């Protein structure tokens, strides 16, 4: 079924966009993630990716032409599909098919859509006042959570100031203001969530009454969701999130003064985070003494291991049932969605092997004897995988409905556990990097991951993933494939055990690994051959230096 692609909102102040250039032409095949066009906004010229797959059937805005946000930009569908009904319907499909959420076209009259637009714009906005909406900070973001307000109502805001920290499905990111003025209203409190383009805040001249704006503002997307498909539109209900500025007298939620619970955001200064990483201190075990419970340098310097009350479980009397409901973070929701999709769309199978690690242990010990050099066994596994993938590109592949993509570059995703769940930063061109380079990059990315400072670019583009639980004493486990990868390697602990060598039982060191493969792209024999090559590199690591 054809999908209508609308002019996207690429900045929070963008009202219209100009097509600077089309990178696809009518009749071209389009894959999810392909760059469709370059769009000139009020801030910059930006690449616009497709969230759909199919054939580009129609271009509604030619190069150099301008149209408003959410107006028809293009149509993608099956080759030869009849789209005359969509074109004759004017703005109907464009309004009902947001590219941001990639919804299929809905049948509704263009008159009702026009009425919705007029209704959304009917609120009189005082001069100099700007409504700030929830920004789209990643290509897959559908809603965001306010982790922290850096500014409070009444504060002066300059263009470029950090307004808030927004938790997306990928990371927690700083959100800059594109306007100057006074922060007049906050529509979401810390910990609350809203969909992209919903009311976040209002900025304007000091003393301006924005109660009507706050009460009546509702994004067009929200109105479309509430409008019946065929019946005449009913009067819009009051916006559930936005309230009059009386919210300034709200009951303040106490800030955490005790160590953070699992899944709870940890407030810490950049210096404190750096010091904690250098000293190997888990910030979740520290009580912050700074403003709003923020962890500062003093707290790190005076931290005594084992003294944290956070390490002690909650007391529950014998025979009494007790539980706590922990709201799902945006990261946890994204993990659940992506892994469920992978598990039930990709036919998984598993190949388990056990490698002799005696040579690897000796190699690492000798390698780390070099001054200012330190590599881990995980760094060696990442390097070995990268070299083996170059020899077995089918394992380094992606599945599409009409083709299989064999990647000639190797970007290794390294799974990192964080309080909210799991993130997978990417070591790019891992086969071209030395062991110390891989070690340094993995350490840097892991530190960023634990402090929620990874950028979307640092978490995208992997072609293969490594997950290692060996440091927790786990000797064997299986993983769910990190799509669009075709495989993921689960790495267990190195275990000392009796082994047979040259007919004699001796003490040896072994490590179990499990390769989870997508049977659509990687056949059993292909996966087995990859593991044979990997075995050669890990059991004889000097070959990785050639």
């Amino acid at each position: 079924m054809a999908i209508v692609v609308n002019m996207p909102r690429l900045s929070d102040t963008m009202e219209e966009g100009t097509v600077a250039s089309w990178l696809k032409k009518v009749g071209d095949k389009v894959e999810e993630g392909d760059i469709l066009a370059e769009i000139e906004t009020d801030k910059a010229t930006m690449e616009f990716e497709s969230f759909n797959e199919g054939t580009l059937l129609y271009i509604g805005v030619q190069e150099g032409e301008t149209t408003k946000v959410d107006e028809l930009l293009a149509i993608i569908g099956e080759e030869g599909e009849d789209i005359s009904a969509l074109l004759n319907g004017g703005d109907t499909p464009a309004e009902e098919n947001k590219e941001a959420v990639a919804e299929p076209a809905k049948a509704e009259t263009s008159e009702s859509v026009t009425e919705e637009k007029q209704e959304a714009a009917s609120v009189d906005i005082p001069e100099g006042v700007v409504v700030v909406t929830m920004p789209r900070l990643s290509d897959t973001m559908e809603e965001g959570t306010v982790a922290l307000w850096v500014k409070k109502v009444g504060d002066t805001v300059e263009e470029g100031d950090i307004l808030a920290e927004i938790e997306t499905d990928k990371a927690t990111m700083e959100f800059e203001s594109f306007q100057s003025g006074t922060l007049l209203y906050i529509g979401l409190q810390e910990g609350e969530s809203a969909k992209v383009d919903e009311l976040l805040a209002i900025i304007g001249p000091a003393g301006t009454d924005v109660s009507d704006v706050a009460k009546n503002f509702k994004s067009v997307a929200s109105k479309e969701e509430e409008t019946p498909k065929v019946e005449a539109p009913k009067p819009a209900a009051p916006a559930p999130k936005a309230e009059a500025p009386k919210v300034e007298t709200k009951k303040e939620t106490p800030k955490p003064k005790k160590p953070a619970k699992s899944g709870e955001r940890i407030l810490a200064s950049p210096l404190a985070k750096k010091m904690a990483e250098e000293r190997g201190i888990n910030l979740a075990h520290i009580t912050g003494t700074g403003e709003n419970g923020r962890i500062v340098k003093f707290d790190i310097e005076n931290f005594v291991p084992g003294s944290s009350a956070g390490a002690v479980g909650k007391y529950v009397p014998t025979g009494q049932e007790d539980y706590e409901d922990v709201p799902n973070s945006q990261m946890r929701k994204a993990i659940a969605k992506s892994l469920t999709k992978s598990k039930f769309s990709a036919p998984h199978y598993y190949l388990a092997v056990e490698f002799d690690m005696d040579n690897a242990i000796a190699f690492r010990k000798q390698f780390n004897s070099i001054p200012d050099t330190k590599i881990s066994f995980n760094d060696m596994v990442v390097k070995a995988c990268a070299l083996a993938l170059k020899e077995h590109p089918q394992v380094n592949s992606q599945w599409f409905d009409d083709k299989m993509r064999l990647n000639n570059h190797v970007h290794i995703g390294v799974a990192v556990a964080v309080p909210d769940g799991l993130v997978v930063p990417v070591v790019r061109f891992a086969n071209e990097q030395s062991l110390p380079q891989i070690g340094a990059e993995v350490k840097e990315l892991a530190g960023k991951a634990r402090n929620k400072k990874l950028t979307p670019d640092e978490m995208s583009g992997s072609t293969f993933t490594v997950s290692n639980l060996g440091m927790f004493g786990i000797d064997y486990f299986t993983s769910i494939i990190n799509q669009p990868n075709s495989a993921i390697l689960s790495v267990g602990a190195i275990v000392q055990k009796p082994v047979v060598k040259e007919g004699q039982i001796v003490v040896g060191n072994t490590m179990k690994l499990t390769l989870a493969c997508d049977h659509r792209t990687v056949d059993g024999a292909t996966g087995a051959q990859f593991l044979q090559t990997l075995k050669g590199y890990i059991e004889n690591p000097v070959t990785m230096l050639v």
Side-chain angles (χ1 to χ4, degrees):
M1 184 175 182
I3 299 294
V4 174
V5 180
N6 300 312
M7 176 62 71
R9 186 184 301 277
L10 298 174
S11 79
D12 66 331
T13 58
M14 177 179 170
E15 297 181 357
E16 63 180 18
T18 301
V19 176
S21 67
W22 281 101
L23 302 187
K24 297 287 186 180
K25 61 181 183 294
V26 173
D28 283 357
K29 293 289 185 183
V30 178
E31 301 292 345
E32 183 177 348
D34 283 355
I35 305 300
L36 272 182
E38 293 183 346
I39 307 293
E40 182 181 339
T41 74
D42 57 336
K43 302 290 182 187
T45 299
M46 306 173 70
E47 294 180 336
F48 175 48
E49 293 185 7
S50 173
F51 297 100
N52 307 290
E53 297 179 2
T55 299
L56 184 57
L57 303 175
Y58 177 77
I59 287 177
V61 182
Q62 302 304 315
E63 292 183 1
E65 292 183 350
T66 301
T67 191
K68 291 185 177 181
V69 169
D70 292 335
E71 292 294 327
L72 175 64
L73 181 65
I75 299 177
I76 295 174
E78 297 179 3
E79 187 174 358
E81 184 175 352
D82 182 10
I83 58 171
S84 57
L86 295 177
L87 297 176
N88 294 334
D91 289 344
T92 302
E95 287 301 315
E96 289 300 316
N97 287 275
K98 301 290 182 191
E99 173 65 6
V101 294
E103 294 181 352
K106 300 177 183 177
E108 187 169 28
T109 64
S110 58
E111 287 80 10
S112 66
V113 175
T114 303
E115 288 173 17
E116 286 176 358
K117 282 187 173 180
Q118 291 172 347
E119 188 179 358
S122 63
V123 180
D124 291 329
I125 298 180
E127 184 177 354
V129 170
V130 177
V131 175
V132 180
T133 58
M134 177 63 72
R136 185 182 302 279
L137 298 175
S138 78
D139 59 341
T140 57
M141 177 179 171
E142 295 180 3
E143 65 178 16
T145 300
V146 176
L148 173 72
W149 279 105
V150 179
K151 297 287 186 179
K152 62 181 183 295
V153 171
D155 283 357
T156 299
V157 178
E158 300 292 341
E159 183 176 348
D161 283 355
I162 305 300
L163 269 184
E165 293 185 1
I166 306 293
E167 181 186 341
T168 75
D169 58 334
K170 295 185 180 296
T172 300
M173 305 173 70
E174 294 179 335
F175 175 49
E176 293 185 8
S177 173
F178 295 101
Q179 293 84 28
S180 298
T182 299
L183 183 56
L184 303 173
Y185 175 75
I186 286 176
L188 288 177
Q189 303 310 312
E190 292 180 2
E192 291 184 342
S193 303
K195 291 184 178 180
V196 170
D197 292 336
E198 291 291 334
L199 176 64
L200 180 63
I202 301 176
I203 295 174
T208 305
D209 182 6
V210 294
S211 56
D212 286 342
V213 178
K215 280 182 181 179
N216 298 304
F217 177 84
K218 183 175 284 189
S219 68
V220 174
S222 297
K223 291 181 176 294
E224 287 172 358
E225 290 176 3
E226 295 177 4
T227 304
K229 291 184 179 179
V230 179
E231 299 173 12
K234 299 177 181 179
K241 290 264 183 208
E243 297 179 0
K246 64 181 180 181
V247 81
E248 294 177 33
T249 62
K250 66 184 184 304
K251 178 174 66 177
E252 290 290 342
T253 302
K255 303 296 179 184
K257 302 297 181 184
K258 297 180 179 179
K261 299 177 182 177
S262 176
E264 187 173 81
R265 173 168 171 73
I266 300 173
L267 301 179
S269 70
L271 177 58
K273 291 177 180 178
K274 182 179 180 182
M275 292 173 64
E277 182 180 353
E278 291 173 347
R279 302 183 186 195
I281 298 174
N282 187 343
L283 290 173
H285 295 163
I286 298 180
T287 300
T289 60
E291 183 180 2
N292 296 327
R294 185 180 291 268
I295 299 170
V296 294
K297 176 183 177 183
F298 172 86
D299 303 318
I300 304 296
E301 292 177 335
N302 292 277
F303 173 69
V304 178
S307 64
S308 169
V312 181
K314 178 183 176 182
Y315 170 73
V316 179
T318 302
Q320 177 177 312
E321 294 182 350
D322 186 81
Y323 64 88
E324 291 182 39
D325 289 330
V326 180
N328 290 327
S329 66
Q330 297 301 321
M331 180 182 293
R332 176 57 61 189
K333 292 177 185 177
I335 291 171
K337 182 178 179 180
S338 62
L339 293 186
T340 300
K341 177 184 176 183
S342 175
K343 185 66 175 177
F344 292 102
S345 65
H348 286 53
Y349 71 91
Y350 306 93
L351 299 173
V353 291
E354 188 170 13
F355 291 169
D356 183 344
M357 295 298 289
D358 285 346
N359 286 342
I361 292 172
F363 173 84
R364 177 174 177 263
K365 182 178 180 180
Q366 187 174 11
F367 201 98
N368 285 344
S369 67
I370 302 172
D372 301 322
T373 301
K374 186 175 182 180
I375 61 170
S376 67
F377 288 111
N378 195 64
D379 301 332
M380 296 167 62
V381 171
V382 170
K383 176 69 173 181
C385 285
L387 295 174
L389 287 168
K390 287 295 290 183
E391 298 181 40
H392 302 276
Q394 200 154 341
V395 183
N396 195 43
S397 64
Q398 293 171 253
W399 169 263
F400 297 95
D401 288 339
D402 60 341
K403 65 177 178 291
M404 182 193 306
R405 177 172 295 167
L406 305 181
N407 295 298
N408 295 317
H409 59 278
V410 179
H411 296 340
I412 303 289
V414 180
V416 177
V418 295
D420 283 350
L422 185 75
V423 293
V424 186
V426 180
V427 179
R428 299 183 183 279
F429 304 105
N431 60 301
E432 301 173 11
Q433 297 196 44
S434 66
L435 284 167
Q437 287 174 328
I438 289 174
E441 185 167 351
V442 169
K443 183 179 179 181
E444 179 184 4
L445 291 171
K448 285 186 175 182
R450 295 186 181 102
N451 290 321
K452 293 189 173 183
K453 293 301 180 184
L454 284 172
T455 66
D457 284 346
E458 290 171 327
M459 294 183 285
S460 61
S462 67
T463 61
F464 184 86
T465 304
V466 172
S467 180
N468 192 336
L469 293 179
M471 67 284 293
F472 299 107
I474 304 300
D475 62 352
Y476 168 83
F477 68 104
T478 60
S479 302
I480 298 175
I481 296 169
N482 179 34
Q483 289 188 333
N485 298 173
S486 287
I488 182 171
L489 185 70
S490 305
V491 182
I494 297 176
V495 178
Q496 193 172 69
K497 57 188 282 189
V499 297
V500 177
K501 289 188 176 181
E502 298 179 355
Q504 301 293 319
I505 298 178
V506 298
V507 176
N509 295 276
T510 66
M511 181 173 71
K512 293 180 180 179
L513 304 95
T514 310
L515 183 69
C517 302
D518 184 341
H519 218 317
R520 297 174 299 181
T521 50
V522 184
D523 295 325
T526 303
Q529 290 164 1
F530 167 79
L531 288 173
Q532 285 181 333
T533 302
L534 184 67
K535 176 184 175 76
Y537 284 123
I538 290 181
E539 292 192 347
N540 299 284
V542 70
T543 58
M544 292 191 284
L545 303 180
V546 177

